[in-house]
Every structure is written in structure tokens, then in C-alpha cells.
Amino acid sequence: MSGIEDYKSQNNHVNVAPATPKINPGPLGLCAFALTTFVLSLFNLGAGVPSGGPVTVVTGLAMFYGGITQILAGMWEFKVGNNFGATAFTSYGAFWLSYAAILIPGFGVVSAYANTPDHTLDNALGIFLFAWGIFTFIMWIATVRSTMTLSSMFFILTITFFVLSSAHLSHLSAGNMVTKFGGALGVITALLAWYNAAAGLYDASNTFVKLPTGSLAQLKSQ
């Protein structure tokens, strides 16, 4: 007789529903965000490739991992009732899909600016990144009572968007120091995202490793 049958026989054959596994989409969404951000940021930094050069190798990542996977994680966050996670993952998933659309010639985004005045494309990209900086600042405010590592990630990501935006709006040449600085900030953001993902993945069921995240809950109003 199986263990569950033994339990039933000892408890008047009461049906026992199996425990529902806990769903935590956070690590998946964070990993998708981290890896895509890491690769693009290395390109912006000029690590192994010229800063300001072609970044179309990121297109696949932006579509399928940073984009679709994050949106799926966002939908699962809605399922578990986490409005912050749902908003963050769905939004940044859409960011990566929209970024991929800019890189894919078939969408005609870059070619549409071929006959426009100088720096029009740069201005458009600058506004695009600036708007994402505003959104990320709003998301950062929602993390100031969460954990140190999560709040730091959104804070640095906010600066990253504004720095990269300023590089475009200032009409700087490709491979400029501002873009490289934005790339360095992006690498730090990605590492923090991976750290937060690992902190969510590691528990007593799978490892002895426990990563501190620095709870900011004590800052809540009494």
C-alpha cells in the first residue's frame, strides 16, 4: 500500500488534495532581464567589440529571452497577485521587444529616418530611452522599502537609461565615453539582477547557499 493510501486508511479515507507547488516567477523574469541587459551593456561598453558598433546580435535575445520570457513572467506574477512584479516584467519585456523592432530592418524604424534632418534618429532614440528612465524611476520609488539589492538595481537602471538617453540627445559620436559609461552601469544592473534572481532561487530545498538581500522593511512607518 502506498504512503497516501496508508494515510487515508488511518483517517477514515478522507481525500487529501495534493499540495499546490509555490509559483515564483521572479527569478525567471530577473534572469531574462539580466542576461539581455548584460550582453547589450558589454557592447555599449566596448568589451570585445567596438562601442557604438552593430548590436544586432542582441536581437534574438531581446525578442525571445528579454522580451517574450519576461512578459510570460509578468503574466505569472499577475497570477500570484504581485502587481509590482507583473508591471515590471511585462513592461521591460515590452521594452526589449520594442528595442528588437528597432533593430529589425523589416519594421522600417531606422529607414524611416533616412531622409530626415541630421540627428533626428538620435533625438528619437534619446526620447525613447528618456521615457523608459522616467518609468524606471517610478518603479524604483516602489522598491525603497523592499530590499537593498532590488532597490539598488532599479536605482542604477534609472541612471543607466538617463545616461544612454543623454548620449543620443547630445549627438555624440559612436563609441563616446557617455555611452561606455552607460554600458558600465548596465553591466552593474545586470549583475544585481542576477544576484536578486539567485537570492530568490536559492532555498533550503536545493542548496546550502543563502544570499543576503538587505531588507529595508524596518523603514516602514510605525
Side-chain angles (χ1 to χ4, degrees), residues 33 66 70-71 87-100 102 124-140 154-165:
F33 174 79
Q70 266 201 101
I71 288 177
T87 302
F89 290 139
T90 306
S91 296
Y92 290 117
F95 162 78
W96 283 115
L97 287 175
S98 61
Y99 183 77
I102 294 173
L125 291 172
I127 293 170
F128 172 78
L129 293 170
F130 186 80
W132 279 104
I134 294 173
F135 170 77
T136 305
F137 176 78
I138 293 170
M139 298 301 291
W140 170 64
F154 276 93
F155 178 71
I156 297 175
L157 180 59
T158 300
I159 299 175
T160 302
F161 275 123
F162 287 141
V163 168
L164 293 175
S165 171

Side-chain angles (χ1 to χ4, degrees), residues 187-212:
V187 169
I188 296 172
T189 301
L191 294 176
L192 283 169
W194 264 322
Y195 185 93
N196 282 291
L201 278 174
Y202 298 164
D203 58 41
S205 70
N206 55 39
T207 182
F208 294 106
V209 177
K210 183 175 177 60
L211 298 178

Side-chain angles (χ1 to χ4, degrees), residues 31-207:
C31 284
F33 174 79
L35 195 148
T36 313
T37 302
F38 184 75
V39 173
L40 178 60
S41 296
L42 285 179
F43 292 166
N44 286 334
L45 183 59
V49 295
S51 177
V55 295
T56 46
V57 73
V58 181
T59 305
L61 278 175
M63 287 181 60
F64 297 105
Y65 199 36
I68 294 175
T69 300
Q70 266 201 101
I71 288 177
L72 288 173
M75 295 300 101
W76 287 318
E77 289 284 14
F78 274 124
K79 175 69 174 177
V80 299
N82 183 357
N83 289 332
F84 176 84
T87 302
F89 290 139
T90 306
S91 296
Y92 290 117
F95 162 78
W96 283 115
L97 287 175
S98 61
Y99 183 77
I102 294 173
L103 298 178
I104 297 172
F107 280 91
V109 176
V110 175
S111 61
Y113 292 89
N115 299 316
T116 58
D118 292 344
H119 306 304
T120 302
L121 177 59
D122 261 337
N123 290 340
L125 291 172
I127 293 170
F128 172 78
L129 293 170
F130 186 80
W132 279 104
I134 294 173
F135 170 77
T136 305
F137 176 78
I138 293 170
M139 298 301 291
W140 170 64
I141 294 298
T143 68
V144 295
R145 289 181 176 175
S146 57
T147 65
M148 183 68 71
T149 54
L150 185 66
S151 188
S152 297
M153 184 193 79
F154 276 93
F155 178 71
I156 297 175
L157 180 59
T158 300
I159 299 175
T160 302
F161 275 123
F162 287 141
V163 168
L164 293 175
S165 171
S166 68
H168 285 285
L169 294 175
S170 300
H171 310 150
L172 299 174
S173 59
N176 61 81
M177 291 305 299
V178 178
T179 298
K180 290 182 178 180
F181 179 54
L185 291 173
V187 169
I188 296 172
T189 301
L191 294 176
L192 283 169
W194 264 322
Y195 185 93
N196 282 291
L201 278 174
Y202 298 164
D203 58 41
S205 70
N206 55 39
T207 182

